């Protein structure tokens, strides 16, 4: 057969073939002409690429591997990699070819064979890979050695036990001492990958290894430099001098053309600067010098393409939170250009706010004012918001910021006015009673407000400063006309603002407050609005003075949230600079896709189930950030309470033993987690700490009562609970302090909680039950009523009969849909919470029982434990906890049919894990 015309590109192979093409391709694959055979394989690859099934040609293509032509061999191996999983038996036919090629005289072919065998994820192939791989790791040619190093990491992912048995990890350590820098870089990359997979520190950088890494850093490729720098970032220097020496060797990388190398070098320097700072003031000058060196490379990154700019800005956002001094004099480079994409502009604004200071506030305000005239609405809003955040951050510049906001309000641009009102509310909360003179200007622009957040902010201002606004009631009336159509946030603010107006000017606003309370309690379907309406109504009808203390009390001054990341999380993210973590601003475990095996497979002795690959987007919400709804019923109803009544009422006391299974002689219960719930300023000089625990099967509210400044000794308190998700009420409404607590004294009291169906509030469909218990306390000696709310410790509900039989556990686990799983990752655990034996022992004290445990297959150092728990009310919860050796974190998977309480059970587990 004559050779094909070689003119044109390989795109010609993607043209549609005529009918019967497989037969023709098979004929061409057996051709004796090398060019025809190469073209035939290219056609096969092209068909495979566009989704056609050409697996029928497997043996024909495999025969083409018996050639010395490296181009043809690469194509055949590409085909084999693609179809190996669907044709594992046939793939074994290629083993002899692989073994033969691994001994070829050409180093390119030797490396190609080892690389291909590593990419074919068939268990039976790995058995034959070990011998060629062992030889390749000791090959004379550096190209083969560096390819083999990467292959070890791939093999570890398939068969970690095999890698350890054959000593390949030790061989990788030897490669770090290789004379070729590319081999060193690939050895480091492979060890880093294995460390990430296994959760163990297999890198083990010693002083001699450190010097070899630093020597290779100057000679290897740019991506090799990234691998080495990332490994150095995880190394902890012994002292400040060693850290300074490494930084000197790394600093030249800051001038590299590749932005990834620059960011990795920055990461190393930032990590080691902490070590230098810990060495004391002697290193202060060196740290300042390093700070000056870091600024130029970071600024240079902003001259790159927009996509690289965005990545750099997200990393710089973390850097300026860690060390603002690095870029404090470079704020101008973050000013937005007219042709910047919106995502770049938004990130630049965030960094401008973080770098703004009294020295540069004037030029920043000029810039932000200019941005507020742009055409992009989101960018304009962000710019106006930035002006307000500058005011909150810099007290001395607040007046200038307000001046700029007033100028923007005068433009009468709808969205500018609305965003200005929102940020001015925050300024009022930051600096109360200082800038109220501008309220008149805001009131003139009421007609332009049509967004819920802007309306809510303006209503808050009117209610808060009603005594300074002559027609405050009339202004609120304008909003009340459309009360039922308003957003819930606006309705809630209207309700509160109207009550404030009434308390400040009761004669003129009585009808209005009556009307609003009627609307909130009788016409609304929103439980939050109804509950607040009921509470206000009860307050106003029972004790207007108490209502003033509650509604008109001093508000906490808001804080500047410019540097809003928690220090521990910030340190983790700075250690992840130049990775996805630094872009998402989340730790890796929050978004990395992991293989999650069926919990009922290996450990329980059941058949293997299909392996699911699940990516878990963790919800990093505050534990208490749950819907705080709750009935507004008899919170203040102390009716029927006699000062001399020390016995629980029969209605509350009945059935208590049945509900909680109380029994004498129970083992000592764990201590309650106490938290401050009431300050002396709110409760007539008394400070209250509260917590919940279970004692002998009964749930107790533990109170630590401290008389801070009350001249009247605390002798007798009355307590009442609001309706709650658990149906709790006090067994006795009286708390007798004997002896009375004088000023400066304290005493602990226990209130037994019993189940009362009348106090039960059902969670809205599809919503989690609120963990909050709202409490009213009356000091009988002074007549003062004060209030607090505490989140219930859900572990106090777990009963002693919560250990499920293994078969029952498996059946229950399998019966619950995986979509109902509640997942989270708990990090920064104490050492006692990373050992399953210690965790099980701790959990058992809270009636959380270990059912089974097992190692995770193909994941060295990982172990899974299964726990069950049952509440005194019969709710069953099951949990899977995954631990990794050397990692102070655990993954939690909780299953239950009682979804409304699932979040609370998960939070209880997380809290216990974090406790030491």
């Amino acid at each position: 057969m004559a050779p094909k015309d070689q003119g044109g590109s390989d795109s010609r192979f993607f043209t549609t073939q005529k009918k019967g093409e497989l037969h023709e391709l098979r004929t061409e694959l057996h051709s004796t002409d090398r060019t025809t055979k190469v073209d035939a394989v290219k056609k096969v690859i092209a068909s495979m690429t566009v989704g056609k099934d050409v697996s029928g040609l497997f043996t024909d293509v495999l025969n083409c591997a018996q050639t010395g032509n490296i181009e043809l061999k690469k194509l055949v191996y590409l085909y084999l990699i693609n179809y190996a999983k669907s044709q594992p038996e046939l793939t074994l036919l290629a083993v002899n070819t692989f073994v033969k090629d691994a001994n070829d005289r050409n180093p390119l072919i030797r490396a190609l064979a080892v690389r291909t065998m590593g990419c074919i994820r068939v268990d039976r192939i790995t058995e034959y890979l070990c011998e060629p791989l062992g030889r390749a790791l000791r090959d004379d040619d550096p190209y083969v050695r560096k390819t083999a190093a990467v292959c070890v990491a791939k093999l570890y992912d398939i068969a970690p036990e095999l890698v350890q048995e054959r000593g390949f990890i030790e061989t990788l350590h030897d490669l770090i001492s290789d004379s070729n820098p590319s081999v060193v870089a690939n050895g480091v990359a492979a060890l880093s990958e294995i460390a990430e997979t296994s959760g163990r520190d297999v890198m083990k950088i010693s002083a001699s290894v450190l010097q070899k890494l630093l020597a290779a850093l100057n000679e290897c490729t740019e991506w090799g430099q990234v691998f080495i720098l990332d490994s150095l970032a995880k190394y902890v220097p012994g002292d400040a001098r060693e850290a300074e020496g490494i930084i000197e060797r790394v600093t030249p990388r800051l001038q590299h053309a590749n932005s990834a190398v620059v960011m990795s070098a920055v990461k190393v320097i930032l990590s080691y600067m902490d070590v230098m700072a810990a060495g004391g003031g002697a290193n202060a000058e060196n740290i300042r010098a390093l700070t000056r060196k870091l600024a130029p490379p970071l600024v240079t990154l902003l001259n790159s393409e927009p996509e690289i700019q965005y990545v750099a800005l997200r990393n710089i956002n973390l850097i300026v939170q860690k060390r603002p001094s690095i870029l404090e004099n470079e704020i101008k480079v973050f000013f937005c250009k007219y042709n910047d994409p919106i995502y770049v502009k938004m990130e630049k604004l965030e960094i401008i706010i973080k770098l703004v200071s009294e020295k540069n506030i004037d030029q920043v305000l000029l810039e932000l004012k200019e941005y507020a005239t742009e055409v992009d609405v989101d960018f304009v809003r962000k710019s106006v918001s930035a002006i307000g955040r500058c005011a909150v951050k810099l007290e001395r510049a607040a007046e200038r910021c307000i001046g700029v906001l007033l100028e923007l309000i005068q433009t009468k641009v709808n969205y500018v006015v609305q965003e200005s009102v929102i940020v001015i509310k925050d300024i009022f909360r930051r600096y109360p009673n200082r800038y109220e003179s501008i309220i008149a200007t805001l009131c003139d622009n009421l007609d332009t407000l049509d967004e819920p957040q802007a309306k809510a902010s303006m209503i808050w201002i009117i209610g808060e400063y009603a005594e300074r606004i002559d027609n405050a009631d009339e202004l609120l009336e304008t909003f009340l006309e459309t009360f039922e159509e308003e957003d819930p946030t606006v309705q809630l603010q209207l309700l509160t603002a109207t009550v404030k107006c009434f308390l400040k000017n009761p004669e003129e606003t009585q009808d209005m407050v009556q009307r609003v309370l009627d609307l909130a309690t009788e016409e609304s379907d929103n439980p939050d609005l109804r509950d607040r309406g009921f509470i206000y109504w009860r307050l106003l009808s029972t004790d207007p003075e108490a209502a003033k203390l509650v509604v008109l009390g001093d508000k906490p001054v808001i804080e500047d949230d410019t540097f809003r990341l928690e220090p521990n999380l910030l340190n983790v993210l700075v250690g992840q600079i130049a990775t996805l973590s630094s872009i998402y601003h989340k730790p890796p475990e929050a978004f990395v896709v992991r293989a999650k095996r069926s919990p009922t497979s290996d450990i329980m002795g059941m058949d293997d189930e299909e392996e699911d690959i699940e990516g878990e987007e963790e919800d990093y919400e505050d534990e208490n950030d749950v819907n705080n709804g709750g009935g507004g019923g008899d919170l203040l109803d102390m009716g029927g309470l006699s000062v001399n009544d020390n016995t629980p009422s029969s209605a509350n006391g009945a059935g208590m033993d049945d509900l909680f299974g109380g029994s004498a002689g129970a083992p000592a219960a764990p201590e309650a987690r106490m938290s401050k719930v009431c300050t002396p300023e709110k409760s007539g000089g008394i400070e209250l700490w509260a917590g919940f625990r279970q004692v002998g099967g009964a749930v107790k509210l533990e109170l630590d009562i401290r008389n801070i400044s009350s001249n009247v000794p605390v002798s007798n308190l009355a307590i009442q609970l609001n309706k709650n998700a658990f149906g709790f009420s006090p067994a006795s409404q009286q708390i007798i302090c004997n002896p009375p607590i004088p000023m400066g004294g304290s005493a602990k009291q226990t209130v037994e909680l019993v189940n009362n169906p009348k106090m039960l509030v059902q969670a809205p469909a599809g919503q989690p039950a609120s963990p909050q218990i709202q409490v009213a306390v009356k000091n009988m000696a002074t007549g003062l009523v004060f209030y607090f709310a505490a989140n219930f410790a859900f572990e106090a509900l777990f009963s002693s009969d919560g250990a499920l039989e293994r078969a029952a556990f498996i059946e229950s686990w399998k019966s619950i849909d995986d979509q109902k799983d509640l997942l989270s990752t708990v990090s920064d655990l104490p050492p006692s919470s990373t050992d399953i034996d210690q965790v099980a022992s701790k959990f058992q004290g809270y009636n959380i029982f270990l059912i089974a445990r097992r190692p995770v297959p193909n994941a060295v150092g990982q172990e899974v434990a299964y726990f069950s728990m049952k509440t005194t009310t019969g709710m069953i919860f099951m949990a899977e906890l995954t631990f990794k050796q050397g990692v102070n974190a655990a993954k939690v998977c909780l299953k239950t049919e009682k979804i409304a309480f699932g979040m609370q059970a998960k939070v209880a587990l997380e809290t216990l894990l974090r406790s030491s």
Side-chain angles (χ1 to χ4, degrees):
M1 186 179 286
K4 298 276 183 185
D5 179 18
Q6 295 298 302
S9 68
D10 284 349
S11 61
R12 60 197 168 93
F13 296 115
F14 288 88
T15 56
T16 305
Q17 301 292 316
K18 59 183 179 295
K19 215 170 181 182
E21 59 180 329
L22 284 183
H23 177 72
E24 285 195 8
L25 284 173
R26 183 173 282 111
T27 303
E28 291 177 4
L29 287 170
H30 290 280
S31 170
T32 55
D33 181 76
R34 192 185 72 180
T35 305
T36 302
K37 189 177 288 189
V38 170
D39 282 357
V41 176
K42 284 183 178 180
K43 290 176 186 176
V44 172
I45 299 294
S47 298
M48 181 181 77
T49 304
V50 298
K52 292 182 181 177
D53 181 13
V54 285
S55 58
L57 298 172
F58 195 94
T59 53
D60 304 287
V61 174
L62 182 58
N63 288 332
C64 297
Q66 306 295 333
T67 177
N69 184 305
I70 195 162
E71 179 191 15
L72 180 56
K73 199 174 284 287
K74 281 182 178 179
L75 291 169
V76 172
Y77 281 177
L78 180 63
Y79 176 90
L80 290 177
I81 291 170
N82 187 69
Y83 280 113
K85 196 166 185 178
S86 60
Q87 306 271 1
E89 297 299 326
L90 291 176
T91 308
L92 290 174
L93 300 175
V95 166
N96 289 335
T97 303
F98 290 140
V99 173
K100 179 182 174 185
D101 284 353
N103 292 310
D104 198 276
R105 289 191 303 174
N106 187 335
L108 293 177
I109 291 179
R110 294 202 298 273
L112 180 63
V114 171
R115 178 190 293 121
T116 305
M117 289 179 78
C119 290
I120 294 177
R121 302 180 65 86
V122 176
D123 290 338
R124 292 178 65 183
I125 288 283
T126 58
E127 301 169 14
Y128 301 95
L129 171 61
C130 293
E131 287 299 329
L133 181 57
R135 288 196 302 272
L137 287 167
R138 296 183 295 274
D139 200 281
D140 294 335
D141 193 282
Y143 180 76
V144 179
R145 294 199 300 276
K146 77 169 191 172
T147 303
V150 176
C151 189
V152 172
K154 293 179 179 177
L155 179 60
Y156 188 90
D157 198 37
I158 305 169
E161 299 86 0
L162 208 55
V163 171
Q164 291 178 331
E165 287 171 12
R166 296 295 184 121
F168 289 150
I169 292 179
E170 288 72 20
T171 309
L172 287 178
H173 282 127
D174 295 338
L175 291 184
I176 293 179
S177 304
D178 200 278
S179 58
N180 187 288
S182 293
V183 176
V184 174
N186 278 24
V188 170
L191 284 170
S192 299
E193 181 70 24
I194 291 171
E196 189 71 31
T197 304
S198 67
R200 296 185 294 115
D201 179 20
V202 296
M203 191 70 192
K204 297 176 184 173
I205 299 179
S206 61
S208 58
V209 169
L210 177 66
Q211 294 307 315
K212 287 163 185 168
L213 291 179
L214 291 171
L217 190 60
N218 296 321
E219 301 174 28
C220 62
T221 63
E222 53 194 17
W223 296 112
Q225 292 179 40
V226 170
F227 289 130
I228 293 174
L229 288 168
D230 285 347
S231 294
L232 289 175
K234 296 172 185 173
Y235 174 67
V236 181
D239 53 32
R241 173 181 283 186
E242 185 184 8
E244 193 173 346
I246 298 172
I247 287 175
E248 277 185 30
R249 305 279 292 274
V250 169
T251 301
R253 302 303 106 205
L254 294 174
Q255 275 75 49
H256 202 282
N258 188 314
S259 55
V261 176
V262 173
M263 290 310 303
S264 293
V266 168
K267 173 166 63 177
V268 173
I269 294 171
L270 283 174
S271 300
Y272 289 6
M273 282 170 75
D274 288 342
V275 178
M276 293 174 66
N283 297 310
E285 186 56 42
N286 292 335
I287 290 176
R288 279 195 291 272
L290 282 173
T291 299
R292 289 192 293 271
K293 287 181 182 177
L294 284 176
L298 293 174
V299 169
T300 303
L301 290 175
L302 299 182
N303 296 323
S304 310
E305 296 82 3
E307 294 79 9
I308 293 178
Q309 277 190 60
Y310 176 75
V311 173
L313 288 166
R314 291 294 285 174
N315 282 273
I316 289 171
N317 193 321
L318 295 173
I319 293 168
V320 296
Q321 290 187 64
K322 179 74 173 174
R323 293 192 175 272
S325 56
I326 291 176
L327 292 163
E328 64 183 357
N329 298 319
E330 305 291 344
I331 195 167
K332 281 189 175 180
V333 302
F334 298 103
F335 287 173
C336 300
K337 299 174 184 175
Y338 76 94
N339 59 346
D340 279 340
I342 184 64
Y343 54 87
V344 170
K345 287 181 176 179
M346 293 294 201
E347 282 306 312
K348 284 185 173 180
L349 274 179
E350 280 294 327
I351 295 171
I352 288 172
I353 295 166
K354 288 177 172 60
L355 294 177
V356 70
S357 64
E358 291 178 6
K359 292 190 295 184
N360 55 33
I361 183 63
D362 289 326
Q363 59 185 143
V364 167
L365 285 177
L366 282 172
E367 194 73 14
L368 293 176
K369 185 179 176 183
E370 189 68 28
Y371 298 160
T373 61
E374 294 271 353
V375 293
D376 189 290
V377 175
D378 290 334
F379 181 54
V380 171
R381 285 180 175 279
K382 185 88 170 176
S383 303
V384 175
S385 175
I387 297 171
R389 289 172 67 184
C390 289
V392 170
K393 181 180 180 183
L394 304 172
E395 184 173 355
R396 292 185 182 178
E399 193 164 345
R400 280 172 281 174
C401 295
I402 287 176
V404 173
L405 290 171
L406 289 176
E407 289 180 38
L408 293 174
I409 288 174
Q410 298 306 324
T411 63
K412 303 294 184 184
V413 177
N414 180 277
Y415 50 85
V416 173
V417 173
Q418 303 204 76
E419 196 67 33
S420 300
V421 169
I422 293 169
V423 298
I424 286 173
K425 181 205 73 172
D426 289 337
I427 295 172
F428 282 177
R429 290 194 62 191
R430 183 76 171 92
Y431 309 109
N433 303 315
R434 284 176 56 177
Y435 300 109
E436 284 70 28
S437 57
I438 68 170
I439 291 176
T441 306
L442 300 180
C443 292
D444 291 340
N445 291 275
L446 280 180
D447 295 341
T448 63
L449 306 181
D450 54 23
E451 294 178 4
Q453 197 175 355
K455 282 185 178 181
S457 298
M458 189 67 226
I459 292 167
W460 181 89
I461 292 171
I462 294 171
E464 190 69 15
Y465 300 101
E467 70 278 11
R468 305 188 187 193
I469 304 173
D470 294 335
N471 60 337
D473 54 337
E474 296 175 12
L475 296 176
L476 290 177
E477 282 282 2
T478 61
F479 290 105
L480 288 175
E481 293 171 2
T482 56
F483 182 88
E484 293 175 338
E485 288 78 37
E486 296 289 359
D487 188 85
T489 56
V490 178
Q491 292 177 334
L492 286 165
Q493 283 294 352
L494 261 176
L495 174 59
T496 302
T498 307
V499 172
K500 286 178 181 177
C501 273
F502 172 73
L503 292 171
K504 294 175 180 179
N505 186 11
E507 291 82 9
E508 298 182 13
T509 54
Q510 187 164 355
D511 292 340
M512 183 168 69
V513 78
Q514 182 70 44
R515 178 179 159 207
V516 171
L517 290 172
D518 284 338
L519 287 170
T521 57
E522 297 177 8
E523 304 295 332
S524 174
D525 293 329
N526 186 312
D528 291 335
L529 185 63
R530 282 204 316 271
D531 290 350
R532 189 180 294 190
F534 281 126
I535 289 174
Y536 284 154
W537 205 322
R538 183 57 56 87
L539 277 170
L540 293 173
S541 60
T542 307
D543 192 345
E545 290 305 313
K548 284 185 178 180
L549 288 173
V550 173
V551 180
L552 301 181
D554 293 335
K555 278 75 177 175
V557 175
I558 63 170
E559 299 296 329
D560 171 30
D561 66 345
T562 303
F563 302 101
R564 59 174 176 265
L565 284 177
E566 290 293 326
N568 289 340
L569 177 58
L570 180 60
N571 288 334
V572 169
L573 295 180
V574 167
Q576 297 288 338
I577 280 177
T579 68
L580 276 177
S581 278
S582 63
I583 298 173
Y584 292 152
H585 288 188
K586 292 181 179 179
E589 58 268 20
F591 57 87
V592 172
V593 174
R594 293 293 185 195
K596 182 174 181 296
R597 293 187 177 274
S598 169
T600 53
S601 53
D602 309 320
I603 129 178
M604 304 292 187
M606 296 184 60
D607 295 336
D608 289 345
E609 295 182 10
E610 183 177 350
E611 185 175 341
D612 296 323
I613 304 299
E614 295 185 3
E616 296 141 13
E617 181 67 25
E618 303 297 353
D619 192 13
Y620 281 81
E621 294 181 11
D622 184 72
E623 293 173 357
N624 297 330
D625 187 17
V626 184
N627 176 21
N628 290 329
D634 302 324
L635 179 61
L636 296 179
D637 186 5
M638 303 291 185
L641 176 65
S642 166
V643 176
N644 297 317
D645 181 13
N646 294 324
T647 58
S649 65
S650 59
N652 287 341
M656 186 170 60
D657 290 338
D658 292 340
L659 176 64
F660 293 109
S663 61
E671 292 296 316
R673 299 195 312 272
M674 305 297 285
S675 58
K676 188 193 291 188
V677 293
C678 210
T679 59
E681 295 78 17
K682 304 292 185 185
S683 50
I686 300 173
E687 181 177 281
L688 275 184
W689 291 65
F692 299 88
R693 67 171 178 153
Q694 186 183 130
V695 181
V699 178
K700 308 283 188 178
L701 167 60
E702 302 282 339
L703 294 174
D704 186 354
I705 306 168
R706 304 176 185 181
N707 188 343
I708 304 297
S709 57
S710 174
N711 292 320
V712 181
V714 182
S715 59
N716 193 350
L717 301 176
I719 185 169
Q720 180 60 291
L721 270 59
N722 196 1
K723 290 183 179 179
N724 53 80
F726 311 96
F728 286 144
S729 66
S732 172
Q733 290 185 314
Q734 277 208 84
I735 302 173
I736 305 297
C737 302
N738 189 13
I741 307 169
M743 186 188 301
S746 66
K748 289 182 166 58
Q749 293 286 339
T750 299
V751 178
E752 185 171 341
L753 301 180
V754 295
N755 187 264
N756 183 347
K758 293 181 180 178
M759 298 295 290
L760 182 65
V761 173
Q762 298 290 346
Q767 296 295 318
S770 171
Q772 196 175 80
I773 306 287
Q774 297 172 347
V775 183
V777 178
K778 184 173 183 178
N779 188 338
M780 304 302 285
T782 63
L784 177 66
V785 179
F786 49 94
Y787 312 86
F788 69 84
N791 280 356
F792 181 64
F794 197 71
E795 64 271 20
L797 267 186
F798 296 150
S799 64
S800 57
D801 62 345
L804 298 180
E805 293 291 333
R806 182 171 297 200
F809 184 97
I810 295 171
E811 185 178 352
S812 299
W813 186 284
K814 293 176 69 177
S815 68
I816 299 174
D817 191 341
D818 288 345
Q819 293 183 355
K820 295 182 179 179
D821 289 4
L822 294 171
L823 305 164
S824 69
T825 298
V826 192
S827 54
D828 296 328
L829 296 179
S832 62
S833 290
T834 57
D835 178 82
I836 292 181
D837 291 326
Q838 294 187 54
V839 170
S841 177
K842 181 201 301 185
F843 277 11
Q844 188 155 1
Y846 293 91
N847 293 328
I848 302 171
F849 300 97
L850 178 67
I851 303 301
R853 57 191 290 183
R854 68 171 173 89
V856 178
N858 300 323
V860 175
Q862 286 196 42
E863 194 168 4
V864 179
Y866 297 86
F867 295 88
S868 74
M869 58 228 91
K870 180 180 178 183
T871 67
T872 53
T873 53
M875 294 186 289
I876 294 175
F877 301 90
M878 296 168 290
E880 172 196 71
L881 271 59
T882 305
F883 299 88
K884 184 185 285 187
Q885 186 178 352
V887 177
N888 63 337
K891 286 202 170 186
V892 178
C893 172
L894 187 129
K895 279 181 177 280
T896 180
E897 292 288 0
K898 303 295 183 181
I899 289 299
F901 291 91
M903 181 63 72
Q904 293 189 46
K906 182 171 74 71
V907 167
L909 291 178
E910 293 168 350
T911 305
L912 294 177
L913 282 171
R914 289 193 179 98
S915 65
S916 54

